Amino acid sequence: MFGSLVTATSNSPHLRKSGSRPVVSDLGAGELENGVDEGFLNSIPTNDMKGASTLVSTTAIMPSPILLWRLKVLLFFVWGFSCCKIGWDSVMRMSVDLRDLFLYEAFLYYNPLLLVTMTVWLWGVNLWCFSQANVNFAKIFDLDQNHLTHREIWKCATWMTIIVPTSMTAYLYLYSHGEVSLAASQPVLLYCAVAMILIFPFDIFYLSSRYYLLRTLWRIVLPLQAISFSDFFMADILTSMAKVFSDLERSVCRMVHRQVATIAWFEADSVCGSHSVTIPLVLVLPYLFRFFQCLRQYKDTGEKTSLLNALKYSTAVPVIFLSALKYHVFPDKWLNFYRPLWLISSVLNSLYSFYWDVTRDWDLSVFTRIFKFSKPHLFSHLLYGRKWVYLWVIGSNLILRCTWTYKLSAHLRHNYITVFAITALEIFRRFQWIFFRVENEWNKMNSKSNIQLSMNDIPNEEEKKLLSSSEHSI
């Protein structure tokens, strides 16, 4: 459980001063049972005895890493149980009429950050698999030497897992006990803290990684330069988090208009209501960013596949805006005209996106090597070279592509639990997608490097022929 004592020999530098003679002694079995021989103790100077006792005491009080890990896990479960218990009791204190509305509002503020936390956890798993499979993801994403490892990613995710539910529990507790103003301040403080950490200009909290993230987001919003792999890779992830950004916009809107912990937002036609025109505008932004990236890529490379890719992202636009029209047209017109168009556009977007994933973003011609770890591992044994992995990935990708249109549709957002589950499943689908997309890019980079090496070998062979011919002529 605890670290064992370090047995220092008599010649150890910890037991004598620099330049002093080594102390030689021979301890018998009886001396070991009764302690250290008095002559040996007397031969050691007083200062050396203090140093030895300090070393031994320091070593003795240091717990083992296993004990620390078990203690952390225990505290984590105690914290989780406490949050669940306090949150449940707080919700049960409220009247049945207001309970659903209150949970809907609380869920709106905190579900975006919960989904971001889930994304960070899964990204750490991606990086762990890349490191185990010797995939140089730093080269693929053009990262510097200070990039975050999977352990540091998981450390950030752990803190997010602790802070976000704690704030949500405080919100539930304070509101149920009548402290409305203090409850309203909880999500506001949390959002402000997240924004401050992201833009904090000092060299703490992984400054280089935060700068890399913000710079990539800026390049996505304004694609005025050549599109790199990390640019469109991040933009693809943002399309899976469109619902997260929509809820963030609605949460910030209520905070700005001081509607937190009130029912003023419940009016559908209010500025921050469920019929607001900003909802489809925010939902469509990630797809527009990716659309303009494809146009920029076509301008730089002239590849027609970039135009076909841009067409894929444009198919999401009618899904979003046709759904939003339900709140702005007569019900009969929606059912007879706009709803069939919405269904057709949803099917087209889902099938087109699925086709592009399988045929363009992934390379399923051979078994993936992303799960072939350098060292034996259960995870690698279960996934590497297994046909069921491809059947699962293709089947789940098709199903989740079809259900993803559910959350893009504003008229289906009333069931917030279902929308949250579908959004979480979409993030999981993107997590699967990352493995095959990064491997495809890694294979392309290796093939290009092999071609360059072969091209470099050709002049050398020609030089050898010339040298041999000249020697022969001589």
Side-chain angles (χ1 to χ4, degrees), residues 95-341:
S95 61
V96 180
D97 298 335
L98 296 177
R99 188 177 299 166
D100 290 338
L101 295 177
F102 174 72
L103 287 177
Y104 177 80
E105 184 190 18
F107 211 72
L108 175 66
Y109 300 139
Y110 290 100
N111 92 85
L113 297 181
L114 291 174
L115 292 171
V116 171
T117 302
M118 173 184 172
T119 305
V120 176
W121 275 112
L122 294 178
W123 175 241
V125 176
N126 288 130
L127 294 186
W128 175 75
C129 290
F130 297 155
S131 62
Q132 296 295 319
N134 294 326
V135 175
N136 192 355
F137 63 90
K139 182 179 180 181
I140 296 175
F141 295 103
D142 194 21
L143 302 175
D144 57 15
Q145 296 180 351
N146 297 323
H147 67 84
L148 298 183
T149 63
H150 63 275
R151 295 182 182 276
E152 292 167 324
I153 293 292
W154 284 338
K155 185 183 295 185
C156 296
T158 301
W159 281 110
M160 295 171 67
T161 306
I162 294 173
I163 293 174
V164 176
T166 301
S167 177
M168 185 175 183
T169 303
Y171 177 80
L172 296 174
Y173 178 82
L174 292 173
Y175 189 89
S176 63
H177 286 75
E179 301 290 342
V180 179
S181 59
L182 290 177
S185 65
Q186 297 304 310
V188 177
L189 292 175
L190 181 61
Y191 276 55
C192 291
V194 172
M196 288 298 297
I197 290 175
L198 283 176
I199 64 175
F200 205 59
F202 301 103
D203 193 9
I204 56 175
F205 302 127
Y206 309 115
L207 176 62
S208 60
S209 298
R210 288 187 288 111
Y211 173 75
Y212 178 85
L213 174 63
L214 295 176
R215 185 189 63 182
T216 304
L217 292 176
W218 179 256
R219 289 165 61 94
I220 292 172
V221 174
L222 294 176
L224 303 178
Q225 65 290 317
I227 307 301
S228 64
F229 177 78
S230 59
D231 292 340
F232 69 76
F233 181 85
M234 176 66 73
D236 275 330
I237 294 178
L238 296 184
T239 58
S240 295
M241 303 182 70
K243 172 66 168 55
V244 174
F245 295 117
S246 176
D247 287 346
L248 283 175
E249 181 275 328
R250 297 177 69 195
S251 300
V252 174
C253 177
R254 295 180 185 181
M255 294 176 189
V256 172
H257 291 85
R258 298 183 179 182
Q259 296 180 1
V260 182
T262 66
I263 59 173
W265 57 269
F266 188 63
E267 298 179 3
D269 297 329
S270 65
V271 178
C272 307
S274 59
H275 299 181
S276 174
V277 295
T278 58
I279 294 177
L281 292 178
V282 176
L283 284 173
V284 81
L285 278 180
Y287 296 92
L288 292 181
F289 293 152
R290 194 67 185 91
F291 175 80
F292 287 116
Q293 278 186 339
C294 295
L295 296 182
R296 173 70 196 209
Q297 202 165 12
Y298 174 74
K299 177 184 177 182
D300 296 336
T301 62
E303 297 179 355
K304 293 183 179 180
T305 54
S306 299
L307 294 179
L308 297 176
N309 200 12
L311 180 63
K312 180 192 72 172
Y313 293 103
S314 66
T315 58
V317 177
V319 178
I320 296 172
F321 283 100
L322 285 174
S323 173
L325 283 176
K326 179 182 179 181
Y327 300 121
H328 304 282
V329 297
F330 292 107
D332 294 339
K333 194 171 184 180
W334 159 256
L335 290 176
N336 298 327
F337 183 73
Y338 289 110
R339 189 171 182 269
L341 290 179

Side-chain angles (χ1 to χ4, degrees), residues 364 367-368 381-395 436:
L364 302 181
F367 281 116
T368 177
H381 176 72
L382 293 175
L383 299 180
Y384 175 66
R386 307 292 182 178
K387 291 184 179 180
W388 70 267
V389 174
Y390 296 90
L391 297 176
W392 164 260
V393 169
I394 294 174
F436 300 93

